[in-house]
Amino acid sequence: MIFSPVTLIASGVTLISSLLTPFLNTLYRRPKKEDVTDPPSESPITLIITSHGNARQLDEHLPLYLTQDHPAGYEVIVVGEKNDSETEDILKRYSGHPHLYTTFIPETSRYMSHKKLAITLGMKAARNEWVVITDPSCKPNTKHWLQSMSAYFTPSTNLVLGYTNYGSSAPDYYRFEHLYTALYIFREAHKRKAYRTNCYNVAIRKSVFLDGNGFQGNLKYTISEYDYLVNKFSDRHTALCLDEEGWMTEDTPSIKQWQNKHIYLKETVNHLRRTRLHFLRYRIDQIAMYVNYALIAGLATYGVITHQWVTCAIAALSMVVTLSLRVMIGKRAMQAYHQPISSWKIIPFELSMFWRNARNRIRYENADKYDFISHKV
């Protein structure tokens, strides 16, 4: 059997593609734990929790925040809304706790995001330079959570990003996509220039936030307060905390919450810096993955049509190599972040992300754009 130069080149390109493209995957290029070279701050910490219609979660998780082991001391500021009787009742039960302080958003606050306003009020009330911001939907995995985050509060750091995951009760795809997205974010943060965050686990210096005028310029947008915060204040002084004791677990969102989070993100990215560069990396990875599969399918089809069975064998080998490498890489990433997702789901999840994003884009285009702002014209 004689092979044409084109057949040989196509077979070689396909085989090389199957060997290389899996390593463009963000699951392979995940950042490693950073070594802290500067001495960390040993000063007290302020923890801000903003309660907005999630009193049940606040009641469940607040004891875990109030029992952290941080020798330098800390305060917990819960910012609620006036006339939220459930939240007020919960806070009354803990009113005597030495770590807890409460404040409320004025009833007259309109035309601005209540979440962003709550964070701003908490920042102004904070008595410490380092402030950790989180949400009642999250809980620290250990009592050493604050201590782990504080290890990165060094003189050369202004912002620290921590990790949150979903518990084992969450759908597998939720956990897969959340980690997949977080790894893109962490890779940029590892280079001291984070784009945004999908984890409600962020620490920032109070002086940096206030001197930079906080959320000024995007207060009217009702969502994505963590995205705006990180995008605005992330610079060469950003650190990444991947210590397991610094992890948090987020409650599983409802289907509606999950869908809204993705639709709102489509609006948010229109107002963030470095959007094109961030998504360029993702698109290159996706294109490389699909081109690889297309090359394999094309080579196999050509081999069948021309009865060149060796070509078909090369296509089959390329597919085996691609699937094996992607499953191996994905499984290692899932294990590293304690996500018990079956190996056979990794490939379908990777392939479905593009189509799920396209569906979210359609939903966003059909949404009322006034839903994303607090000032209804």
Side-chain angles (χ1 to χ4, degrees):
M1 182 179 294
I2 300 175
F3 293 95
S4 68
V6 173
T7 303
L8 290 174
I9 292 173
S11 298
V13 168
T14 302
L15 188 55
I16 292 172
S17 173
S18 68
L19 288 167
L20 296 182
T21 54
F23 295 99
L24 294 177
N25 193 339
T26 189
L27 298 177
Y28 173 76
R29 296 177 296 159
R30 62 185 188 274
K32 307 301 181 183
K33 176 183 173 182
E34 295 182 352
D35 293 325
V36 182
T37 55
D38 296 334
S41 170
E42 296 182 357
S43 59
I45 299 173
T46 294
L47 170 60
I48 296 176
I49 305 173
T50 58
S51 181
H52 181 70
N54 43 12
R56 179 191 61 80
Q57 294 168 310
L58 178 65
D59 190 22
E60 181 180 352
H61 299 156
L62 186 56
L64 300 175
Y65 292 115
L66 295 175
T67 54
Q68 285 293 300
D69 182 10
H70 184 58
Y74 68 98
E75 62 177 358
V76 178
I77 300 178
V78 177
V79 186
E81 296 184 325
K82 280 290 187 181
N83 293 328
D84 182 352
S85 57
E86 288 186 81
T87 297
E88 291 180 352
D89 290 342
I90 292 168
L91 294 177
K92 285 178 182 177
R93 286 195 276 112
Y94 292 93
S95 59
H97 198 284
H99 290 310
L100 182 63
Y101 301 86
T102 61
T103 186
F104 294 90
I105 299 173
E107 295 181 67
T108 55
S109 301
R110 298 179 181 178
Y111 311 131
M112 63 182 67
S113 163
H114 280 199
K115 277 280 191 178
K116 295 187 181 75
L117 179 58
I119 291 174
T120 303
L121 290 177
M123 280 287 185
K124 292 181 177 179
R127 295 184 295 180
N128 305 307
E129 170 67 355
W130 273 104
V131 179
V132 179
I133 307 168
T134 190
D135 192 85
S137 63
C138 297
K139 62 180 179 181
N141 289 359
T142 73
K143 65 178 182 179
H144 303 294
W145 164 60
L146 279 182
Q147 186 69 6
S148 295
M149 289 288 286
S150 69
Y152 297 85
F153 298 171
T154 67
S156 60
T157 304
N158 289 335
L159 183 73
V160 179
L161 302 188
Y163 174 61
T164 66
N165 57 18
Y166 290 125
S168 58
S169 62
D172 285 352
Y173 181 75
Y174 285 20
R175 291 184 280 120
F176 178 86
E177 190 206 69
H178 181 78
L179 176 58
Y180 196 92
T181 302
L183 290 178
Y184 272 106
I185 294 166
F186 290 166
R187 184 170 175 80
E188 292 174 325
H190 194 62
K191 298 178 180 179
R192 304 294 190 264
K193 200 73 172 178
Y195 171 66
R196 53 174 288 261
T197 184
N198 64 340
C199 300
Y200 302 146
N201 189 5
V202 177
I204 188 173
R205 289 183 181 273
K206 175 181 178 178
S207 58
V208 170
F209 181 87
L210 296 180
D211 293 345
N213 296 316
F215 292 107
Q216 186 177 44
N218 56 65
L219 272 171
K220 69 177 182 179
Y221 300 110
T222 59
I223 36 78
S224 302
E225 55 278 353
Y226 291 84
D227 293 324
Y228 287 114
L229 183 72
V230 172
N231 187 261
K232 181 174 182 178
F233 293 103
S234 178
D235 52 24
R236 297 301 173 186
H237 301 284
T238 299
L240 181 61
C241 175
L242 294 180
D243 301 359
E244 289 191 25
E245 290 196 328
W247 291 4
M248 305 183 76
T249 299
E250 181 180 350
D251 290 346
T252 304
S254 65
I255 295 177
K256 184 177 181 179
Q257 289 172 330
W258 177 258
Q259 292 176 347
N260 286 343
K261 182 180 292 188
H262 289 75
I263 295 172
Y264 282 19
L265 180 60
K266 298 296 182 185
E267 172 67 19
T268 299
V269 298
N270 295 329
H271 311 287
L272 301 182
R273 301 175 299 159
R274 307 185 299 279
T275 292
R276 289 185 179 180
L277 179 60
H278 173 79
F279 284 102
L280 176 63
R281 298 183 178 96
Y282 169 78
R283 289 179 181 127
I284 289 175
D285 294 352
Q286 289 287 299
I287 290 172
M289 178 179 67
Y290 275 99
V291 166
N292 180 51
Y293 284 123
L295 286 173
I296 295 172
L299 186 66
T301 302
Y302 176 78
V304 171
I305 292 175
T306 61
H307 303 289
Q308 295 188 24
W309 307 119
V310 174
T311 302
C312 292
I314 293 174
L317 176 62
S318 298
M319 180 61 80
V320 171
V321 170
T322 291
L323 297 181
S324 299
L325 287 175
R326 286 194 169 273
V327 168
M328 179 186 69
I329 290 169
K331 191 63 178 178
R332 286 183 177 179
M334 297 303 116
Q335 291 174 344
Y337 285 86
H338 300 175
Q339 294 299 328
I341 298 175
S342 300
S343 299
W344 68 267
K345 294 182 179 181
I346 292 173
I347 301 298
F349 285 168
E350 285 185 329
L351 289 170
S352 69
M353 290 190 69
F354 172 82
W355 306 105
R356 292 173 189 260
N357 286 333
R359 182 180 61 188
N360 291 328
R361 168 60 63 175
I362 294 173
R363 288 172 173 165
Y364 166 71
E365 295 296 342
N366 292 328
D368 184 349
K369 300 306 182 287
Y370 287 122
D371 289 341
F372 307 125
I373 60 176
S374 56
H375 188 181
K376 314 301 182 185
V377 181

